[in-house]
DNA sequence: TTGAAAGCGCTAACAT
DNA sequence: ATGTTAGCGCTTTCAA
């Protein structure tokens, strides 16, 4: 086995170049005055020795690690994967590196994750919270540790968040279904402790209210709640189908996210129901598979990469200036083939 | 804005508890002798002060960061996402945290990533290499820096790797198609600089050779090469279809991975070709969407989470004992509905 | 069982 | 323009 060589230090560079440790430090970091030739020589010697600065040492001294913690429910979920990508991309631009920890949708893991990241003295944290409890995040805010929450809003707390305009998302999804003549809409929602779950439903009800005010038309709206993940959604919807059986009357199903929609589509196919002929399906998020699934999914899209980038920029701003930013990104309805117009002639 | 409080140090705990810095250190780290009551008191005081150990400081002293660098082509790719998950899971078990960097399939980025991670003094690196060049990895090996490569083998170099049994993967995919009566097989491969691309093709040729030795049956085998990603595969295959047009005679297409297979399926559908009635499609990897796509995809599966876990364990072993491990994980053919038996009566 | 002191590699304040 | 020195928070001899 090749023995791991010790890294050269600035002291080694100092000795080899004949300058003092301090001069070397200034030459390498670019801070402070160094004569041009001196700097050149030092850089040359450093390169010869294969010098690589030791971040652990400078972090100790400067109290800045240029590390940020990213706490995520599950990096495998395409939504979070893209968010992570956005964060990582922007972080790299700014000379930061990300520490990634999964919580597997478990609040205790989230707490532990935050603690280890704090021990590692990350300069800040970006968190997609489990949301069953939020004490850990409140603690961060309380302690003045820079952090940004993605995908949830805490209205009364002065903290950074970045999320999509979920209310509008719910609104435009429902409005579209109403405009295209749907009369019985089911919302397969996530559990209500999730911010987005509550707010998307609100948006849908808002669209319903407006609609029913305008026309004298009756529209049925049902909501059921499922835990996250394909399997859970599949099971929940399956049980719902079994229970309602012949009473099942919906002509449209909105799903909390695209994964839920895939589960719904799969089940509807298994029951021989044709999409969109008999039933429309709408998702949320527009993850990449939604355009290639059968049928291509109509869905409320957000720019997930941007969500990540904005989160990082918001964090950096908070770290550097202490300012708080609360960002809501726009959503957009992508109409594909899982929905169809059922209005008979009317616009 | 809440001002960020300075973290309490062991010195603070020492002052507050009346013991020396050293005793506190031993009490908190659990190394060395401390009287039971002393320890209890110290732990209590530490808790009161909200003490959290500073990893940057202990890393500097002990030369161990308990950080490992994970360099990945694209964390958004479902295959790598699962691998990352496996790494992170195992790392967390062992008290390590992962630094994640994407290379976006760019060798220069890979080099940069490795450099920043070395500056951060990670204890080791896990790399899914771009593979257009491998100088950076050779350098790591040369310098004796613990590292594990995922998904590629360097036969002549004493270094750790973990990969799937790609040759066997190619072999069983092809064998299955031959056994089920396919006579014209096309392999939509990735570029040949990729280890898996070369070896999977080898496995297929091996199956072909065996087959043609046994029976006197002629089988056509064509290979085309595409860059990675859905769009690239789509384009490559589209151009191939245009070029061959009416000469297109294949009754089976094996794809380098499931993403390629999705592109192929999409195109075949657009051309009105029925899968599996007219044409079988086989993928590689078995990413999670492959079971819910239409038709559900026959594919060569590996345990991606395990790939990640093994990679981490291999790394840790290398860090702790210096031993080299080269691991090849088994593959398995998952038969779904994108393929069908075309043999007329024969077994 | 506990404490004193040195030092990991770097930066920053001050001196020259 | 360069050097001296102290110290970030921790661990690790070594001594008491």
């Amino acid at each position: 086995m090749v023995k791991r060589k010790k890294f050269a230090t600035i002291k080694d560079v100092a000795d080899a170049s004949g300058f003092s440790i301090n001069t070397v430090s200034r030459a390498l970091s670019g801070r402070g005055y160094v004569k041009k030739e001196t700097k050149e020589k030092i850089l040359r010697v450093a390169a010869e020795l294969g010098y690589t600065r030791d971040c652990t040492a400078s972090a100790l001294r400067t109290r800045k690690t240029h590390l940020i913690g990213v706490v995520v429910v599950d990096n495998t979920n395409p939504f979070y994967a893209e968010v992570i990508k956005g964060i990582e991309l922007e972080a790299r631009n700014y000379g930061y590196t990300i520490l990634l920890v999964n919580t597997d949708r478990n609040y205790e893991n989230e707490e532990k994750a935050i603690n280890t990241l704090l021990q590692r003295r990350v300069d800040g944290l970006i968190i997609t919270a489990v949301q069953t409890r939020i004490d850990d995040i409140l603690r961060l805010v309380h302690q003045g540790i820079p952090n940004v929450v993605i995908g949830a809003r805490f209205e009364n707390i002065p903290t950074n968040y970045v999320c999509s305009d979920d209310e509008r998302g719910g609104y435009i999804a429902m409005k579209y279904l109403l405009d295209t003549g749907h009369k019985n809409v089911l919302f397969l929602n996530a559990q209500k402790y999730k911010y987005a779950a509550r707010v998307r439903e609100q948006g849908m009800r808002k669209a319903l209210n407006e609609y029913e005010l305008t026309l004298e038309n009756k529209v049925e709206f049902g909501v059921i709640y499922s835990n996250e993940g394909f399997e859970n959604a599949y099971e929940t919807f399956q049980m719902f189908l079994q229970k309602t059986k012949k009473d099942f009357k919906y002509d449209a199903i909105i799903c909390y996210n695209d994964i839920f929609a895939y589960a719904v589509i799969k089940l509807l196919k298994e029951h021989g129901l044709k999409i969109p002929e008999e039933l429309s399906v709408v998702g949320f998020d527009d993850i990449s598979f939604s355009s290639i699934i059968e049928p291509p999914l109509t869905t409320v899209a957000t720019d997930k990469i941007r969500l990540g980038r904005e989160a990082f920029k918001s964090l950096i701003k908070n770290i550097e200036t202490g300012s708080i930013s609360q960002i809501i990104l726009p959503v957009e309805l992508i109409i594909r083939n899982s929905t169809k117009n059922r209005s008979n002639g009317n616009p």
Side-chain angles (χ1 to χ4, degrees), chain A residues 40-63:
Chain A
E40 279 164 6
K41 172 152 192 199
I42 289 174
L43 291 180
R44 186 155 33 79
V45 172
E48 279 164 18
L49 295 178
Y51 172 82
T52 27
R53 77 126 36 99
D54 186 333
C55 289
T56 61
S58 62
L60 179 58
R61 184 64 239 241
T62 61
R63 329 259 65 212

Side-chain angles (χ1 to χ4, degrees), chain A residues 10 33 66 74 95 103-106 120 136-138 152 174 201 221 241 323 325:
Chain A
I10 49 171
Y33 304 107
H66 291 271
D74 175 8
T103 62
D104 310 318
R105 292 211 168 72
N106 174 329
R120 296 188 175 288
D136 51 352
I137 292 164
L138 295 180
M174 180 61 86
E201 189 175 325
F221 181 50
L241 282 179
S323 69
S325 44

Side-chain angles (χ1 to χ4, degrees), chain A residues 3 63 129 138 204 238 301:
Chain A
K3 182 93 182 300
R63 329 259 65 212
L138 295 180
M204 292 174 204
Q238 190 171 40

Side-chain angles (χ1 to χ4, degrees), chain A residues 78-137:
Chain A
F79 180 85
Y80 297 116
E82 297 234 354
V83 170
I84 293 168
K85 188 175 186 172
I87 297 172
E88 197 277 330
L89 192 66
E90 204 63 40
R92 197 146 29 98
N93 279 343
Y94 280 77
Y96 280 73
T97 309
I98 67 170
L99 289 166
L100 181 71
V101 188
N102 280 321
T103 62
D104 310 318
R105 292 211 168 72
N106 174 329
Y107 175 76
E108 275 73 40
N109 285 345
E110 185 176 296
E111 270 198 328
K112 275 190 224 155
I114 290 176
N115 285 336
T116 38
L117 292 170
L118 289 181
Q119 293 192 177
R120 296 188 175 288
R121 298 295 189 265
V122 292
D123 292 343
L125 290 154
I126 297 177
I127 302 169
T128 65
V130 176
Q131 297 186 48
T132 44
R133 287 177 62 195
I134 58 162
D135 311 50
D136 51 352
I137 292 164

Side-chain angles (χ1 to χ4, degrees), chain A residues 100-302:
Chain A
L100 181 71
V101 188
N102 280 321
T103 62
D104 310 318
R105 292 211 168 72
N106 174 329
Y107 175 76
E108 275 73 40
N109 285 345
E110 185 176 296
E111 270 198 328
K112 275 190 224 155
I114 290 176
N115 285 336
T116 38
L117 292 170
L118 289 181
Q119 293 192 177
R120 296 188 175 288
R121 298 295 189 265
V122 292
D123 292 343
L125 290 154
I126 297 177
I127 302 169
T128 65
V130 176
Q131 297 186 48
T132 44
R133 287 177 62 195
I134 58 162
D135 311 50
D136 51 352
I137 292 164
L138 295 180
R139 205 192 89 199
L140 288 178
V141 174
H142 205 78
Q143 297 187 323
I145 292 163
N147 71 88
V148 177
V149 172
I150 292 185
R153 288 171 67 179
F154 307 112
E155 316 266 358
N156 306 315
I157 298 152
T159 183
N160 307 284
Y161 60 76
V162 181
C163 61
S164 324
D165 194 342
D166 288 301
E167 175 166 347
R168 183 159 173 76
Y171 179 85
I172 59 177
M174 180 61 86
K175 181 148 193 331
Y176 166 72
L177 289 177
L178 297 175
D179 288 347
T180 49
H182 295 80
K183 300 293 174 200
N184 286 286
V185 180
L186 178 69
F187 181 27
L188 175 56
N189 201 356
Q191 301 295 356
K192 270 185 283 194
Y193 64 77
K194 294 206 93 177
Y195 171 80
R198 293 195 302 275
V199 171
R200 287 175 190 176
E201 189 175 325
Q202 268 172 37
M204 292 174 204
R205 294 195 188 278
K206 190 177 155 207
L208 275 168
N209 287 341
E210 286 182 9
Y211 180 80
E212 294 185 283
L213 279 173
T214 318
L215 295 127
E216 231 31 56
N217 241 327
K218 192 88 190 112
V219 172
E220 290 291 331
F221 181 50
V223 186
I224 56 178
Y225 301 90
S226 167
N227 288 325
E228 293 230 24
F230 181 87
E231 280 76 16
N232 288 324
Y234 187 89
E235 210 174 290
T236 303
F237 189 54
Q238 190 171 40
M239 285 181 37
F240 180 78
L241 282 179
Q242 271 164 15
K243 215 176 52 192
T244 46
K245 209 99 190 178
K246 54 190 163 290
D247 299 338
F248 187 88
K249 61 197 168 188
Y250 297 98
D251 54 10
I253 303 179
I254 311 184
C255 303
Y256 174 73
N257 62 27
D258 289 358
I259 309 269
F260 278 26
Y262 301 165
V264 165
I265 289 174
K266 181 159 197 188
L267 266 162
L268 293 177
K269 280 184 189 166
E270 285 170 11
H271 283 252
L273 287 162
K274 288 234 182 305
I275 308 165
E277 290 75 8
E278 300 177 60
L279 211 64
S280 294
V281 177
V282 178
F284 260 86
D285 291 349
D286 191 31
I287 61 180
S288 67
F289 291 97
S290 296
S291 62
I292 60 179
I293 206 169
E294 256 320 294
L297 187 65
T298 295
T299 187
V300 178
T302 26

Side-chain angles (χ1 to χ4, degrees), chain A residues 6-77:
Chain A
K6 262 194 66 187
F7 288 100
T9 70
I10 49 171
K11 180 158 187 310
D12 298 330
V13 178
D15 294 347
S17 66
F19 292 93
S20 75
I21 286 183
N22 187 311
T23 308
V24 171
S25 171
R26 271 175 293 129
L28 293 174
S29 68
R31 271 185 295 275
Y33 304 107
V34 194
K35 210 206 298 179
K36 193 148 171 268
E37 300 100 70
T38 310
K39 184 166 182 176
E40 279 164 6
K41 172 152 192 199
I42 289 174
L43 291 180
R44 186 155 33 79
V45 172
E48 279 164 18
L49 295 178
Y51 172 82
T52 27
R53 77 126 36 99
D54 186 333
C55 289
T56 61
S58 62
L60 179 58
R61 184 64 239 241
T62 61
R63 329 259 65 212
K64 294 208 94 283
T65 53
H66 291 271
L67 247 28
I68 67 157
V70 176
V71 179
V72 104
V73 141
D74 175 8
N75 79 282
T76 260
N77 179 312

